[in-house]
Amino acid sequence: MDASPSPDQLSFPAAWRHPHLLDLERLSAAEILAVLRTADQLKTMTEGCRRKVPLLTGKTCANLFFENSTRTRNSFSLAAKRLGADTVEFSSSGSSVAKGETFVDTAKTIEAMGVDWVVTRHSTPGTPHLLARELDCCVLNAGDGPHEHPTQGLLDMLTILQHRIGSDWKNEAADPEKVFAGMTVALVGDIAHSRTARSNLWGLRKLGAHVIICGPPTLVSHRWEELGFEVAHRLDEIVHRCDVLNLLRIQFERQKARPFPSVYEYAALYAMNGERLRHAKDDILIMAPGPINRGVEITPEVADGPHSVILEQVTNGIAVRMASLWLLANAKENANASAENLS
Ligand code: CP
């Protein structure tokens, strides 16, 4: 067990310069690893994300959610509070959006109340990128339609690192592009509509993992092969090769037509169950971003079994979000200080 470091032992990583966290596709391996190392340190410092460390006292984080959320919204809120910041909770239902106020005007209104970060979730891809251009404060993407969910990708990678990669990755001398070398991770399910899949596959590959994208042909395009990912349409053919399975929910709410005849037929081919677990590696890690649909992508015996780290992913969500808020706020302050020195 690591000794709890004090807050002044947290040093700002030279690799990080961004005032916004919008996606993982455009981050480098070194930048991703910088967030993961900071998250790991903050998790230890806050004794498993439970204790307060006043690193962001006096700042305010606004959650602007235009879609439902349990994990992401609450863990951003807790992350801000653990670091001493205040929070503002906005939900589109019950707001002046119903009176015709636009998305950008709503965000600018909340920003004018004096916030340092806007965390946004919206069904339209690119909305956080739009806010990053329109607002002066830091912007974090908490999920933009089927595009990306960067903090989910980061918390998934942190969970894999903590379980499977020893401690070499914490060393500054580690090569960021080889941290996951030799590791095979399969993303299984509704890839077509999954922002979690996109953030995971970019992030995992940058850090050196072999990524398999698995699901029905209606939800997993062979175009992914053109980008260098392995595509599989039968879980039974790949399960024995995987070190990690990340089981994604079928997102019926985003589908225009049903991509398979019935949930029963989907589960027969793709649900991770006890029988499939018998063909997997002894130390396979079972993950799911949640919410999980028991009996569809995962059976209760697997979700609640010894290989499952689903609830640990939730705890790591607070760690990654603490790291993101702290890194963005410091990058913004550093940029403002540099601009003042130049003027
Ligand atoms: N994984 C995830 O984004 O969960 P929520 O929709 O509950 O935030």
Side-chain angles (χ1 to χ4, degrees), residues 65 68-73 121 142 149 152 195-196 289-291 321:
F65 277 58
N68 296 341
S69 170
T70 296
R71 279 147 285 268
T72 312
R73 178 198 273 277
R121 171 172 284 192
H149 190 352
Q152 181 70 49
R195 52 197 177 205
T196 292
R321 286 158 187 142

Side-chain angles (χ1 to χ4, degrees), residues 184-188 210-214 229-232 238 241-242:
T184 297
V185 181
L187 304 167
V188 183
H210 176 72
V211 182
I212 308 177
I213 306 175
C214 177
F229 297 99
E230 181 179 343
V231 167
I238 60 157
R241 287 199 281 130
C242 297

Side-chain angles (χ1 to χ4, degrees), residues 16 18-21 55-64 76-77 79-81 83-89 107 110-111 114-120 131 135-141 321-333:
W16 189 265
H18 303 284
H20 309 296
L21 178 59
L55 289 168
L56 296 172
T57 308
K59 295 191 177 294
T60 303
C61 176
N63 279 327
L64 257 70
F76 261 116
S77 231
K81 287 174 181 158
L83 298 186
D86 297 320
T87 57
V88 175
E89 299 296 335
I110 299 289
E111 185 188 36
V115 306
D116 300 279
W117 309 268
V118 162
V119 177
T120 181
L131 289 192
L135 304 183
D136 290 327
C137 69
C138 303
V139 175
L140 298 100
N141 181 2
R321 286 158 187 142
M322 285 192 290
S324 304
L325 294 172
W326 184 75
L327 289 170
L328 266 52
N330 279 281
K332 181 104 185 149
E333 279 173 17

